[in-house]
Amino acid sequence: MVETLSIAVIGAPGVGKTSIIRQFIYNDFSEVYTPTRTRYVYRPSVILNGNMYDLKILDVPPISSFPSRGPWWSAERWLGVRNANAYILVYDICCVESFEYVKMIRQQIMEHREGSSSEVPILVVGSKRDLQRQRFTPRRAVSVLVKKTWKCGYVECSAKFNWHVVLLFKELLGIAVGRGMKQNHTPGIRLQGALQRNRCTVM
């Protein structure tokens, strides 16, 4: 039986959430920015360590008014987000406000998620690495905060140049599947493609 993993991709407006997802699934990138106004679900499949998984990737629209605690998480429209198996929190490495947004979202997940919050796989992703010279703080500073203090995974990527896009999904799935099986994450996992319906792409 093929296991289904639900992944919520969340971040501030314009950070590149949809671009990352579409690059991973379709090897596609558009220079035209189209805001995500409603939740969209992508359903690719992947092969991880010889096992196939169906992914339910939730492209979550930004929240215009983000309270410090509570209301949005309990709203019915966030049911799929609350029950996700894992989270990808995306920020723009050139925009400090987008990182603050990710910080608030992570805090709400940790506060309101049922069960042990330490067991919730969260990967923080710094997008737009191709704009490296415009970043608001050195990579190491963010990486240390996220990994040491938040105890989350951290990856930087560029959807425009398809750099580390596959890697970030490898990282997240390795953590999610590893925790689900009560095993430690194995760095050498193999991820063979986002498999669209009736189509298999080997990476």
Side-chain angles (χ1 to χ4, degrees):
M1 184 175 179
V2 179
E3 183 177 354
T4 299
L5 296 175
S6 176
I7 301 170
V9 183
I10 310 174
V15 296
K17 302 181 300 296
T18 304
S19 294
I20 289 171
I21 296 169
R22 293 189 62 83
Q23 184 62 268
F24 175 63
I25 298 174
Y26 304 117
N27 291 320
D28 171 63
F29 177 81
S30 174
E31 295 278 3
V32 179
Y33 171 58
T34 304
T36 301
R37 303 194 184 281
T38 60
R39 187 176 66 181
Y40 194 85
V41 180
Y42 297 84
R43 295 182 178 274
S45 297
V46 297
I47 298 174
L48 176 65
N49 290 342
N51 299 311
M52 181 176 284
Y53 298 89
D54 289 335
L55 303 186
K56 180 181 179 183
I57 302 177
L58 309 174
D59 188 356
V60 181
I63 303 154
S64 55
S65 177
F66 198 94
S68 60
R69 57 181 65 248
W72 77 273
W73 185 263
S74 59
E76 190 65 30
R77 64 190 285 251
W78 296 101
L79 181 62
V81 176
R82 297 200 310 268
N83 297 335
N85 299 114
Y87 298 90
I88 295 175
L89 306 185
V90 183
Y91 79 98
D92 178 347
I93 67 169
C94 306
C95 177
V96 66
E97 290 82 5
S98 69
F99 186 73
E100 292 299 320
Y101 189 97
V102 159
K103 186 186 297 184
M104 287 190 292
I105 290 173
R106 175 197 163 270
Q107 189 61 37
Q108 290 225 349
I109 291 172
M110 302 298 279
E111 289 179 0
H112 299 285
R113 179 77 189 217
E114 292 183 6
S116 174
S117 58
S118 64
E119 293 299 313
V120 181
I122 298 176
L123 182 70
V124 176
V125 174
S127 71
K128 305 185 183 180
R129 179 61 188 268
D130 49 289
L131 302 177
Q132 163 80 0
R133 294 182 179 179
Q134 301 173 36
R135 64 186 313 143
F136 64 83
T137 193
R139 179 189 184 281
R140 178 172 174 76
V142 179
S143 178
V144 168
L145 171 65
V146 171
K147 291 181 177 180
K148 302 290 187 181
T149 305
W150 294 3
K151 308 299 183 186
C152 297
Y154 183 73
V155 173
E156 292 190 355
C157 74
S158 168
K160 182 176 182 178
F161 293 105
N162 198 12
W163 186 78
H164 280 187
V165 172
V166 173
L167 175 65
L168 76 88
F169 281 94
K170 279 186 179 181
E171 287 287 324
L172 185 71
L173 292 173
I175 296 169
V177 173
R179 287 183 182 177
M181 297 185 302
K182 305 300 181 185
Q183 296 176 352
N184 292 326
H185 170 48
T186 304
I189 62 173
R190 295 182 60 210
L191 179 62
Q192 290 178 276
L195 314 180
Q196 276 303 101
R197 302 181 197 279
N198 303 319
R199 183 170 69 86
C200 174
T201 304
V202 178
M203 297 185 197

